[in-house]
Amino acid sequence: MKNSAAQRPRVPSCFIAFVMLAIFSSAPATWAQYAASDAGQISPQTTAAFSDLFEKSTYRMKSFGPARWIDGGARYTTVEPSKDLPNGREIIEYDTATAARKVLVAASKLLPPDAKTPLSIDDYIWSPDNGQMLIFTNTKKVWRLNTRGDYWLLDLPTGKLRKLGGDAPESSMMFAKFSPDGKSIGFVRASNIYVQDLATDTVHALTTNGTASLINGTSDWVNEEELAIRDAWRWSPDSKSIAYWQFDTTGVGQFTLINDTAQEYPTTTVYTYPQPGTTNSAVRVGVVSSRGGETKWINLPGDPRQHYVAGVEWLEDSSAVLLQYLNRLQNTNQVLRANPSTGEVQTFFEDKDKRWVDVRDRFAQNRASGNTAIRWLNSGKDGKGMLWLSERDGWRHAYLVSQTTGEAQLVTHFEGDVMQEASVDEAHGWFYFIASPENATQRYLYRAKLDGNGKPERVTPSDQPGSHEYNISPNNEWAFHYHSTFNQPTVTDLIHLPDHKVVRVLEANTELAAKVKPLLATPSEFIQVPVSNHVTLDGVMIKPTNFDPAKKYPVLVFVYGEPAATTVNDRWSNQRLFHAAIANEGYIVVSFDNQGTPAPKGSDWRKAVYGSVGVLSAAQQADAIRELGRQHSYTDMSRLAVYGHSGGGSNTLNLMFRSNGLFKAGIALSPVADESHYDTMYQERYMGLPQENVQGYHDGSPINFAAGLQGHLLIIHGSGDDNVHYQGTELLINKLIELGKQFDFVEYPNRTHSLSEGKGTSLHVNTTMLRYLKEHVPAGGVPQ
């Protein structure tokens, strides 16, 4: 549930925001009058606006890149439309300081033999000497991302373009990478690892035993979903060896997705999906010569089905492999140092938490930037040190861990959380990172001395509120800077560091800003609401354009509330358009981040839900809306609605079932109705094992409280959801029927967790939601 590339962080797959856009006529004078005359009706203006958003992509934001730094940051490349070939794209090189531009790879250079159109550029990777380029194209989705496709090699000096992979079928190659010496390409295909010699084009397999159940070089479903392990192999720095993950899924429970509409008779997709307390894949790590031969397996301690390998990296001299080794409860992360020749391991460092630990890879930059998950620096007290993020002192802080003694030295001395690494400027002794110690809804660039002296200093100017992201050049003199606010689409510019001076704007999104301006007339404000146990929640509220404090308005609550994401963020999102439109119809729209969401408020805040996911969130969300009603008489507590997706769908169910009729309507999209039916890694991380926390799993699962349903409930789910299975909604439906509870339900055949596949789907989903809201919680301000 949940490169030097100028790519912005992805939103976790478990948190897919649903956007609705509408432009409404003015609200009726009375609730009763509205309900009698217009309930559930959607105006022509709204229909047109929905078409703009879901069919025409009128409000799509432009992005910059993908871009790559060259020569440490002196130059960079990006992808731009071709002026000569329709639908063609080409690689452009810019001088960072002067903006001098030249076409490095024209679209005409990307025309395969006998082809009429150039290759599309889904991604590209430079060789170590920048003389060759890998082009990733013709890509296909593997669960969440397009990680399978074709790779072509372009030699810049000669202009020669050739397809790699030998006799590999179309769109079958994954995670191709240059060897550090630039002489070979490694890739994964059909659960095996291959190396292609670039001088001879000879392709040889390093593994040959890969099957659907024995996976080399990539991962099984749950490790991809919850640890983001997709590219599961690593070149050694000397190009002589490859370290890789292997997953044996034998014995893992299989889930079957049934497609009733693709053919005359149903077809099925069967894959392994471990549910809490059941068997996991056996994971191990091996090292094999890049020339081929037997794999040397690392001697990992303990049961391979009761551990996870969260990360694999080589030391710079290729003398050892470092692994992050998690126990099944995910409260201990051991950094193991393995001898690649003998397979023997030693524990180098150990991070523990009584609840759960966050693994190191989650805070590293995109691997394509060349930044590995574990950084070794020459900045420790006694030589090399490993940069590490840990919550051992109650905050997520950066530490330098001595390679010699394993002692951890604090780098970031402040009462705040390091939310993400940005860069390390070892030459000048600085660690750059993202934080916001004073406002959890925002994000800024900070830096701290690597020796731990002094407090961190803010780099982002104080007159630039909102959220900021950075892709910093290897020489730490430049950065691609992405800045947005709740009411301002993202602006991308090139800045100089450390003075943060803007050199030039790379993408202003001026056209989008003008288009959305009329929709943003609704007044918005960030608020703080006290709830029980002396806790204060951050919230955001949007009021109608013609808001009258002498009237009272219905309130729509947007909820997520789980450990994977926050909803109260001072950054741009298309949800702002949906919520603005709903507010203009005559609703107040609010959202709150309860304890347990990943806000920068310290470890105790984030981990307060351990063992009881779903219980505290529902209680605090209900407390928050009640307190809002006490504070503001313009909120009509008799007209409350709530909606959410995935974990937010689960919390919607909990609020409808456990709040004693507080909400008149709820819309739950793709919810987890029973926590015992989600996946092992996510649910056990936050809840422990179901055998050891029977009461917690019971109390956190909405299905066990369905008898408390009051008001109108709409459940929406896709039958092809591989993440949060349709099974859980079917179980809930059976329970509601058994209890004699009336509800509404919409199934979207074969749609996944995103509920977005197929022509017209997004439009239909959001129209259905809007119609349901209008029908059961009438809009408009009425006299107090």
Side-chain angles (χ1 to χ4, degrees):
M1 282 182 309
K2 57 22 282 95
N3 71 8
S4 314
Q7 305 274 357
R8 303 176 66 224
R10 296 183 181 275
V11 175
S13 62
C14 58
F15 178 58
I16 301 180
F18 282 81
V19 183
M20 295 192 291
L21 175 65
I23 302 173
F24 298 97
S25 57
S26 61
T30 68
W31 176 7
Q33 179 184 346
Y34 175 89
S37 65
D38 197 31
Q41 299 300 310
I42 298 178
S43 69
Q45 296 95 325
T46 301
T47 301
F50 268 50
S51 177
D52 279 342
L53 184 60
F54 299 115
E55 294 181 314
K56 301 176 183 177
S57 300
T58 301
Y59 302 105
R60 178 177 294 171
M61 187 167 62
K62 294 181 181 179
S63 60
F64 165 73
R68 303 287 186 270
W69 295 109
I70 299 178
D71 292 343
R75 297 175 291 138
Y76 64 87
T77 58
T78 188
V79 180
E80 296 180 0
S82 171
K83 296 180 180 179
D84 301 321
L85 289 178
N87 301 318
R89 302 176 77 201
E90 46 199 22
I91 308 294
I92 308 299
E93 178 186 289
Y94 286 93
D95 183 279
T96 306
T98 68
R101 179 185 186 273
K102 74 174 182 179
V103 178
L104 195 62
V105 180
S108 59
K109 298 290 186 182
L110 299 178
L111 276 169
D114 302 322
K116 296 181 179 180
T117 58
L119 297 173
S120 63
I121 305 173
D122 290 84
D123 203 358
Y124 64 100
I125 304 170
W126 289 109
S127 62
D129 65 358
N130 295 326
Q132 295 179 306
M133 184 174 66
L134 268 180
I135 300 163
F136 188 40
T137 188
N138 195 26
T139 63
K140 306 296 181 184
K141 182 178 288 187
V142 178
W143 300 123
R144 303 289 165 264
L145 305 179
N146 285 35
T147 53
R148 186 164 53 84
D150 298 328
Y151 284 90
W152 292 71
L153 183 72
L154 176 67
D155 184 82
L156 264 66
T158 65
K160 182 180 180 181
L161 178 70
R162 69 186 195 268
K163 190 177 182 181
L164 300 177
D167 59 356
E170 182 179 346
S171 299
S172 65
M173 297 172 66
M174 306 175 74
F175 315 119
K177 298 190 286 283
F178 285 102
S179 59
D181 63 12
K183 296 180 179 179
S184 302
I185 293 289
F187 62 91
V188 174
R189 177 168 67 83
S191 295
N192 282 312
I193 303 171
Y194 297 82
V195 168
Q196 180 167 356
D197 184 285
L198 295 181
T200 65
D201 270 347
T202 302
V203 177
H204 60 276
L206 302 188
T207 66
T208 57
N209 59 353
T211 64
S213 60
L214 191 68
I215 304 167
N216 301 300
T218 184
S219 71
D220 64 356
W221 186 95
V222 74
N223 278 271
E224 172 175 335
E225 179 69 21
E226 305 300 353
L227 284 178
I229 297 173
R230 296 178 173 87
D231 177 358
W233 69 277
R234 307 285 182 263
W235 279 108
S236 64
D238 62 9
S239 302
K240 294 180 180 180
S241 302
I242 284 174
Y244 67 96
W245 281 258
Q246 183 188 80
F247 295 92
D248 182 355
T249 68
T250 305
V252 179
Q254 292 186 327
F255 204 87
T256 302
L257 301 176
I258 302 174
N259 186 329
D260 291 318
T261 63
Q263 300 179 14
E264 184 174 1
Y265 291 95
T267 59
T268 61
T269 299
V270 181
Y271 65 106
T272 56
Y273 184 105
Q275 295 185 347
T278 68
T279 301
N280 272 327
S281 295
V283 60
R284 60 178 177 172
V285 174
V287 177
V288 64
S289 169
S290 59
R291 297 185 301 275
E294 294 295 318
T295 293
K296 172 58 67 174
W297 297 105
I298 304 301
N299 297 324
L300 296 173
D303 186 342
R305 294 188 186 272
Q306 300 299 323
H307 290 83
Y308 304 108
V309 177
V312 174
E313 302 292 343
W314 286 89
L315 287 187
E316 292 176 346
D317 61 3
S318 302
S319 65
V321 176
L322 292 180
L323 302 92
Q324 292 185 70
Y325 197 50
L326 281 172
N327 63 335
R328 179 156 181 165
L329 285 175
Q330 300 172 71
N331 58 16
T332 302
N333 189 4
Q334 292 177 294
V335 180
L336 304 178
R337 179 172 176 149
N339 185 314
S341 299
T342 67
E344 296 304 311
V345 299
Q346 294 178 327
T347 300
F348 165 65
F349 179 72
E350 187 173 84
D351 205 8
K352 286 188 173 184
D353 194 291
K354 62 183 179 181
R355 294 156 297 192
W356 72 83
V357 293
D358 283 310
V359 300
R360 181 64 185 76
D361 262 323
R362 294 185 192 171
F363 308 107
Q365 283 190 337
N366 190 310
R367 181 171 297 280
S369 66
N371 296 323
T372 59
I374 296 177
R375 296 178 189 253
W376 287 100
L377 308 175
N378 295 306
S379 304
K381 287 183 177 180
D382 51 0
K384 281 188 175 293
M386 176 183 70
L387 189 65
W388 188 262
L389 299 187
S390 173
E391 298 186 349
R392 56 181 51 204
D393 66 356
W395 298 97
R396 185 180 298 140
H397 279 161
Y399 294 83
L400 270 179
V401 181
S402 168
Q403 185 176 358
T404 304
T405 67
E407 177 186 353
Q409 172 191 347
L410 181 63
V411 173
T412 51
H413 288 272
F414 76 131
E415 289 192 355
D417 290 303
V418 176
M419 297 308 294
Q420 184 183 0
E421 291 182 31
S423 186
V424 175
D425 182 0
E426 195 166 8
H428 300 96
W430 291 102
F431 167 54
Y432 286 87
F433 60 95
I434 301 298
S436 187
E438 297 176 358
N439 186 331
T441 72
Q442 300 175 334
R443 298 291 184 270
Y444 300 106
L445 184 65
Y446 280 74
R447 65 176 185 171
K449 296 296 292 183
L450 285 169
D451 60 14
N453 289 328
K455 291 186 177 182
E457 60 185 46
R458 177 167 157 168
V459 179
T460 306
S462 59
D463 62 351
Q464 296 183 20
S467 294
H468 302 256
E469 299 165 11
Y470 298 81
N471 183 332
I472 299 178
S473 64
N475 64 12
N476 294 284
E477 294 181 8
W478 313 94
F480 301 128
H481 168 228
Y482 312 89
H483 174 218
S484 72
T485 69
F486 192 64
N487 294 313
Q488 172 200 304
T490 300
V491 174
T492 305
D493 48 35
L494 175 71
I495 63 167
H496 183 265
L497 288 175
D499 58 9
H500 210 280
K501 181 180 179 181
V502 175
V503 179
R504 57 185 170 271
V505 176
L506 302 172
E507 178 54 66
N509 274 302
T510 305
E511 182 180 349
L512 174 61
K515 287 179 180 178
V516 302
K517 188 175 181 179
L519 303 177
L520 302 182
T522 50
S524 63
E525 60 181 305
F526 286 89
I527 59 176
Q528 292 190 319
V529 179
V531 295
S532 48
N533 297 319
H534 308 290
V535 173
T536 299
L537 306 187
D538 283 314
V540 63
M541 177 165 56
I542 305 174
K543 300 173 185 175
T545 302
N546 297 318
F547 174 73
D548 182 351
K551 295 181 178 181
K552 56 182 180 179
Y553 297 82
V555 180
L556 173 66
V557 178
F558 169 54
V559 63
Y560 180 69
E562 291 215 357
T566 55
T567 60
V568 184
N569 304 301
D570 191 5
R571 66 168 178 255
W572 179 254
S573 166
N574 275 351
Q575 271 183 321
R576 176 65 175 99
L577 303 180
F578 155 55
H579 291 156
I582 293 300
N584 268 332
E585 173 64 2
Y587 293 91
I588 292 172
V589 184
V590 298
S591 191
F592 307 102
D593 279 334
N594 51 263
Q595 285 182 294
T597 54
K601 294 184 175 184
S603 177
D604 286 344
W605 170 277
R606 290 186 289 275
K607 298 178 180 178
V609 294
Y610 183 72
S612 60
V613 169
V615 178
L616 182 63
S617 55
Q620 289 188 340
Q621 291 282 334
D623 279 356
I625 192 63
R626 289 190 182 103
E627 178 61 27
L628 192 71
R630 283 190 287 268
Q631 291 180 359
H632 304 294
S633 60
Y634 52 72
T635 57
D636 189 343
M637 299 300 288
S638 70
R639 288 186 288 165
L640 299 182
V642 58
Y643 88 99
H645 174 258
S646 193
S650 308
N651 273 312
T652 296
L653 294 177
N654 271 324
L655 287 164
M656 293 299 294
F657 297 165
R658 304 164 84 142
S659 300
N660 195 28
L662 178 64
F663 294 92
K664 293 301 178 285
I667 304 171
L669 301 108
S670 309
V672 176
D674 187 334
E675 292 177 352
S676 67
H677 290 294
Y678 196 54
D679 72 58
T680 51
M681 197 178 297
Y682 181 95
Q683 213 65 56
E684 292 174 6
R685 179 189 302 146
Y686 306 122
M687 293 292 292
L689 296 174
Q691 299 90 331
E692 299 172 359
N693 186 17
V694 175
Q695 193 65 44
Y697 274 80
H698 173 276
D699 292 350
S701 298
I703 194 170
N704 296 317
F705 300 89
L709 172 62
Q710 299 180 46
H712 300 275
L713 174 64
L714 171 63
I715 306 169
I716 296 175
H717 214 129
S719 65
D721 192 337
D722 64 283
N723 184 3
V724 178
H725 294 143
Y726 185 54
Q727 171 195 54
T729 287
E730 290 181 307
L731 291 169
L732 176 61
I733 288 172
N734 281 342
K735 175 62 73 172
L736 291 167
I737 293 171
E738 175 188 320
L739 293 167
K741 295 291 184 180
Q742 295 299 311
F743 62 95
D744 296 286
F745 172 61
V746 178
E747 172 197 342
Y748 285 87
N750 311 313
R751 272 63 168 191
T752 68
H753 195 53
S754 68
L755 290 166
S756 62
E757 297 82 8
K759 183 179 180 180
T761 299
S762 294
L763 177 62
H764 194 277
V765 169
N766 290 287
T767 301
T768 299
M769 292 171 61
L770 175 57
R771 176 176 52 79
Y772 199 80
L773 175 66
K774 294 185 68 177
E775 180 178 349
H776 295 294
V777 182
V782 297
Q784 294 190 27

